[in-house]
Amino acid sequence: MQNVTYQLKKSFDDSWHMDRPHFHEDVEILLCLSDGGNFFIDNKLYPIKSGALFLINEAVLHRSTANNSYERYILHTPPSVLSNLSTPKTSLKAFLKKNCLNINLDVKTTARLKEMFYDVENFNEDSFGSDIKRMMCFTSLLLEIFANFDKNAVSPIAEGNPDFERVSAILKFINNHLSETLTLDLIAQNFFINKYHLCHIFKNATGFSVMEYIIHLRVLKARELLRTGMRVQEVSEAVGFQNNQHFIRTFGNLTGISPKKYANEYLLGYKE
């Protein structure tokens, strides 16, 4: 039987501001059930709307900020699950070629998908054959989700944020100079603005501070390089850390594992 490891929960908050940007080793699928706020994902800004369905690939930096009550279903599952369930005719793993997919569902489709999420979340594990039925229920949910992505692969961009267009250029600048020394002064000078104004518009548009964005981006890039077998010291320098111990400490804080252990575990798993 296929391993269908996943975590699913329904969350509700009067308002929601992620304490910090983050990323996962798993794929995240999110169904929004209310309006209001923005979702910053992979250098793009998406509106939080009822019926908005997101697929966020592993190791993609994201952060959500909701203005009002925020209700959603959140599903996490390893990329390997999508690969194992894929067939030549029905390839779920093909959707992982993009960092993020986002579509807006109509009311009827949202209601049907909400019901399927509920069935998976509240599945009865005690009956005969429950393990097989659980896999079938989860697989049916995935097929419904990806069928909708297959039909409607459109990514709407949030409107009404006057800072974001200017911040987009700053995001590109940071990405293009990630291995170099980046300071608030240097970035502000490049865009001919006051560094305090830079901090304000960047935070307002993305939900990130400039420096926390840079640090998270460097750790994500380091994660990629460690998977190639590069030495930790080389990776530290390649992604712009000036101090190797600072890199090791920061990587551990954001991923929960040291760079060396991360590389060893990935390369060992890859060989197996």
Side-chain angles (χ1 to χ4, degrees):
M1 183 185 299
Q2 299 280 10
N3 183 4
V4 290
T5 303
Y6 64 85
Q7 292 180 323
L8 172 63
K9 67 176 180 178
K10 185 179 183 182
S11 297
F12 178 85
D13 303 278
D14 291 334
S15 61
W16 175 248
H17 299 268
M18 286 184 180
D19 292 335
R20 53 192 283 182
H22 69 281
F23 55 87
H24 309 286
E25 294 294 327
D26 291 337
V27 175
E28 178 175 325
I29 296 173
L30 185 144
L31 176 64
C32 298
L33 302 174
S34 57
D35 296 342
N38 290 304
F39 217 153
F40 180 90
I41 311 172
D42 192 35
N43 294 343
K44 294 183 180 179
L45 201 64
Y46 301 91
I48 293 175
K49 293 182 178 180
S50 180
L53 180 66
F54 292 90
L55 182 146
I56 307 168
N57 206 348
E58 61 168 330
V60 172
L61 195 61
H62 58 283
R63 184 173 193 165
S64 62
T65 303
N67 302 327
N68 306 309
S69 58
Y70 181 29
E71 187 177 9
R72 69 275 189 202
Y73 270 112
I74 305 169
L75 170 66
H76 288 141
T77 192
S80 59
V81 168
L82 302 183
S83 295
N84 291 338
L85 291 174
S86 293
T87 69
K89 184 177 180 179
T90 307
S91 178
L92 304 184
K93 65 181 180 180
F95 290 89
L96 301 180
K97 293 179 180 179
K98 293 187 177 181
N99 285 341
C100 174
L101 291 174
N102 168 228
I103 55 176
N104 291 327
L105 306 175
D106 59 38
V107 174
K108 183 177 179 180
T109 305
T110 301
R112 181 170 68 251
L113 203 53
K114 180 180 178 180
E115 185 174 322
M116 295 180 74
F117 269 104
Y118 177 86
D119 289 342
V120 173
E121 181 190 23
N122 296 280
F123 189 82
N124 182 2
E125 299 279 3
D126 297 329
S127 60
F128 175 79
S130 61
D131 52 346
I132 297 176
K133 292 176 182 178
R134 174 178 174 268
M135 184 184 73
M136 293 172 62
C137 190
F138 175 69
T139 303
S140 295
L141 172 62
L142 288 182
L143 289 175
E144 180 70 18
I145 289 169
F146 285 103
N148 279 284
F149 280 126
D150 189 52
K151 290 186 296 185
N152 307 290
V154 178
S155 296
I157 303 299
E159 300 177 357
N161 191 321
D163 289 326
F164 195 75
E165 184 175 348
R166 194 172 192 181
V167 166
S168 294
I170 298 171
L171 292 170
K172 291 178 182 177
F173 177 84
I174 292 172
N175 276 268
N176 291 336
H177 297 84
L178 196 62
S179 63
E180 304 168 19
T181 300
L182 290 172
T183 65
L184 289 176
D185 287 327
L186 184 149
I187 298 171
Q189 289 170 13
N190 187 78
F191 289 92
F192 305 102
I193 57 176
N194 181 281
K195 69 177 180 180
Y196 300 106
H197 182 56
L198 165 66
C199 292
H200 173 74
I201 63 171
F202 196 93
K203 181 77 172 181
N204 187 55
T206 69
F208 300 82
S209 74
V210 176
M211 297 314 296
E212 72 179 349
Y213 175 77
I214 292 171
I215 289 171
H216 279 74
L217 212 60
R218 283 175 169 162
V219 168
L220 283 172
K221 181 63 178 178
R223 179 182 172 277
E224 293 178 17
L225 296 178
L226 288 167
R227 289 183 170 205
T228 69
M230 281 182 65
R231 293 172 53 248
V232 171
Q233 178 73 43
E234 294 173 333
V235 171
S236 174
E237 296 171 357
V239 299
F241 279 89
Q242 302 301 309
N243 181 287
N244 192 49
Q245 290 304 313
H246 181 218
F247 165 62
I248 293 171
R249 184 169 58 253
T250 302
F251 190 96
N253 288 340
L254 295 186
T255 65
I257 189 173
S258 72
K260 185 175 182 179
K261 188 174 181 181
Y262 178 88
N264 289 340
E265 289 188 359
Y266 175 80
L267 294 172
L268 178 62
Y270 182 79
K271 290 175 182 177
E272 291 176 346

